[in-house]
Amino acid sequence: MQRLAWVTLLLSFAACVGLSILVPWQILIYLRTSHIGTQTRVAALSGILRLEHPEREPVAITPGVPYSRLVEGDLLITDAQSQGLVIFSEPLFSAPQDLAAIQIYPNTQVEVQRARYPRFGISPEPART
């Protein structure tokens, strides 16, 4: 009976030590690696841009009507008469600051592979566009 008590006590101690180390470590990993999507705007400078996404219907973007729902996996296509501009912004501020701008020239296809920003300030990860 005394042996069972010692085994129970040692297993409980090991579980307590394990949880006291693993839980804060997992929280720290989440804080350092969590990300959110960046705010991304697309504007047609001339002609009509075609926006395709595997799960949605294609969208035509015309000059003067910016499109602000660009997400990872989207494909922008220009023809011989169209040009566009893609602007990636920081998502956490009330007045977002622009991170990057990409000009799209005629006869071009651009796929958005990553548009991510760290969720927390503790993260050493950069914004990925």
Side-chain angles (χ1 to χ4, degrees):
M1 191 57 104
Q2 189 177 12
R3 183 176 291 175
L4 179 62
W6 275 106
V7 168
T8 304
L9 182 65
L10 290 175
L11 287 176
S12 298
F13 178 71
C16 180
V17 170
L19 287 174
S20 65
I21 292 171
L22 290 177
V23 169
W25 182 60
Q26 288 297 318
I27 291 172
L28 182 63
I29 287 175
Y30 175 75
L31 292 175
R32 293 174 60 100
T33 60
S34 180
H35 63 272
I36 55 177
T38 61
Q39 294 179 354
T40 308
R41 305 184 306 276
V42 180
L45 301 176
S46 65
I48 297 175
L49 297 178
R50 182 176 174 175
L51 175 67
E52 294 181 356
H53 192 275
E55 300 170 1
R56 294 190 308 249
E57 292 292 321
V59 176
I61 303 170
T62 58
V65 183
Y67 184 80
S68 61
R69 291 181 292 164
L70 193 67
V71 294
E72 292 180 358
D74 283 350
L75 180 67
L76 283 166
I77 302 170
T78 60
D79 58 15
Q81 290 81 30
S82 59
Q83 288 188 6
L85 185 66
V86 180
I87 299 173
F88 298 93
S89 302
E90 293 179 335
L92 301 176
F93 299 105
S94 57
Q97 300 173 351
D98 293 342
L99 294 172
I102 300 172
Q103 184 170 357
I104 304 170
Y105 291 101
N107 296 321
T108 306
Q109 291 186 3
V110 176
E111 180 181 359
V112 180
Q113 293 182 343
R114 285 192 178 79
R116 299 177 183 176
Y117 192 79
R119 183 181 298 263
F120 302 104
I122 191 172
S123 177
E125 297 293 321
R128 299 188 185 274
T129 54

